[in-house]
Amino acid sequence: MKTQKTPVTGRFDGRTVAITGSAQGLGLAMADRFAAEGASLALVDVNETALQKAADELRDAYGIPVSGTVVDVTDSSQVNAWIAGIEESDSAVDVLVNNAGIIRDNRIERITDADWDAVIDVSLKGAFYCSRAVFAGMRARGYGRIVSFSSMSWRGNFGQSNYVAAKAGIVGLTRTLALEGAREGITANAIAPGLIETPMLASMNDAARDLLIGKVPMKHTGDPSDIAEAAAFLASEAAAFITGVVLDVDGGISIGSSIR
Ligand SMILES: NC(=O)c1ccc[n+]([C@@H]2O[C@H](COP(=O)([O-])OP(=O)(O)OC[C@H]3O[C@@H](n4cnc5c(N)ncnc54)[C@H](O)[C@@H]3O)[C@@H](O)[C@H]2O)c1
């Protein structure tokens, strides 16, 4: 832990940041970033062991309050109980990061009902359940930041119809939440990461990896800290006039020029 490249500020002093899917990967990188900037953290994941380890390490590293709760974001009763628990404990969710997501890639003929449902349920329904659960409190307090995870794939990607539908759905959900919260100090934005150095990318063979990286105008992958930086900005008070956007954090891969 304590992996921050940039100077630490107190941008999130006194703020509670709730992050789904935060036991590993981008969720954990964002938790580290928000903790470094003074936030109290409410972390959830379905991987209990990794979640408790992450929560313990962040608490020790930064000396900030961190709760780690096992919540399956596809279950609205678990989500509602989690948020109600925070709001009843003299705290409030100032920032919600809808990060949990899974992939079950296949061509359309081979995607099972279960693969379709699982991907939509975690990414899209989970984001809906969590956003709905925090919205009334944010509205009542006149302040809120919702940052949800789309993907560069949201525009369409071979072999990912379930994932693309979920990630395009995040764009529509975000733009609508932005309208519904606009008069009460609530912003809603999405991040569309490109190729980020995560275990999934590392597990690819060299040829497939090189082919993908060759499509990135910057010719390299992103680091989880690049995503954390973007999330922290969108979640900050400074981003007050930015709402309903999809921020590509992808080294330019989404620009789409054929001349590279
Ligand atoms: N890694 C990338 O390059 C990349 C690119 C584009 C978009 N994204 C998106 O960013 C987000 C994070 O990606 P990542 O690479 O860190 O993923 P990851 O698989 O490393 O981590 C996802 C976390 O979500 C948790 N999770 C899964 N189902 C859950 C559920 N039902 N309830 C609660 N938690 C659950 C997992 O246990 C895991 O800890 C995802 O939404 C993903 O689609 C990632």
Side-chain angles (χ1 to χ4, degrees):
M1 290 301 158
K2 288 208 170 177
T3 56
Q4 301 311 310
K5 289 192 289 199
T6 45
V8 172
T9 72
R11 267 193 300 188
F12 295 98
D13 282 353
R15 297 285 188 202
T16 298
V17 179
I19 311 175
T20 68
S22 37
Q24 64 174 46
L26 303 184
L28 180 55
M30 289 186 284
D32 190 58
R33 175 79 204 184
F34 283 113
E37 297 204 41
S40 300
L41 298 175
L43 309 181
V44 294
D45 206 287
V46 285
N47 182 343
E48 183 170 13
T49 311
L51 178 66
Q52 293 317 332
K53 181 172 178 289
D56 290 346
E57 287 182 4
L58 287 163
R59 207 179 293 113
D60 291 348
Y62 295 105
I64 41 116
V66 183
S67 62
T69 314
V70 176
V71 170
D72 180 343
V73 296
T74 69
D75 181 337
S76 63
S77 58
Q78 291 185 36
V79 168
N80 292 342
W82 167 50
I83 298 299
I86 296 171
E87 309 240 315
E88 281 161 17
S89 70
D90 217 19
S91 188
V93 178
D94 301 297
V95 176
L96 168 68
V97 182
N98 288 312
N99 165 75
I102 59 169
I103 48 171
R104 296 278 187 278
D105 292 354
N106 227 324
R107 292 172 71 152
I108 186 75
E109 317 89 286
R110 297 193 193 125
I111 290 186
T112 63
D113 294 2
D115 289 341
W116 178 270
D117 288 347
V119 170
I120 300 285
D121 284 359
V122 177
S123 268
L124 185 54
K125 209 154 90 173
F128 158 61
Y129 285 158
C130 293
S131 303
R132 184 178 61 181
V134 299
F135 221 80
M138 287 181 172
R139 197 191 292 286
R141 292 184 296 275
Y143 186 85
R145 298 279 182 269
I146 298 176
V147 179
S148 301
F149 271 73
S150 183
S151 162
M152 67 175 180
S153 297
W154 79 269
R155 300 169 179 88
N157 200 23
F158 192 94
Q160 287 199 308
S161 56
N162 48 2
Y163 186 73
V164 169
K167 295 306 189 181
I170 287 286
V171 174
L173 176 67
T174 295
R175 289 168 61 88
T176 302
L177 296 181
L179 285 176
E180 294 190 11
R183 288 198 289 178
E184 281 111 357
I186 304 170
T187 68
N189 293 293
I191 292 177
L195 296 173
I196 310 298
E197 277 306 331
T198 55
M200 191 188 74
L201 200 63
S203 70
M204 282 182 180
N205 68 49
D206 285 351
R209 203 184 130 85
D210 289 349
L211 188 75
L212 277 175
I213 294 172
K215 293 178 192 280
V216 184
M218 290 186 183
K219 302 298 175 201
H220 64 81
T221 55
D223 187 83
S225 64
D226 294 316
I227 301 299
E229 190 74 47
F233 169 64
L234 290 174
S236 71
E237 289 180 31
F241 203 53
I242 301 173
T243 197
V245 307
V246 182
L247 181 58
D248 294 304
V249 185
D250 65 1
I253 198 170
S254 59
I255 295 169
S257 165
S258 58
I259 304 165
R260 283 178 187 150

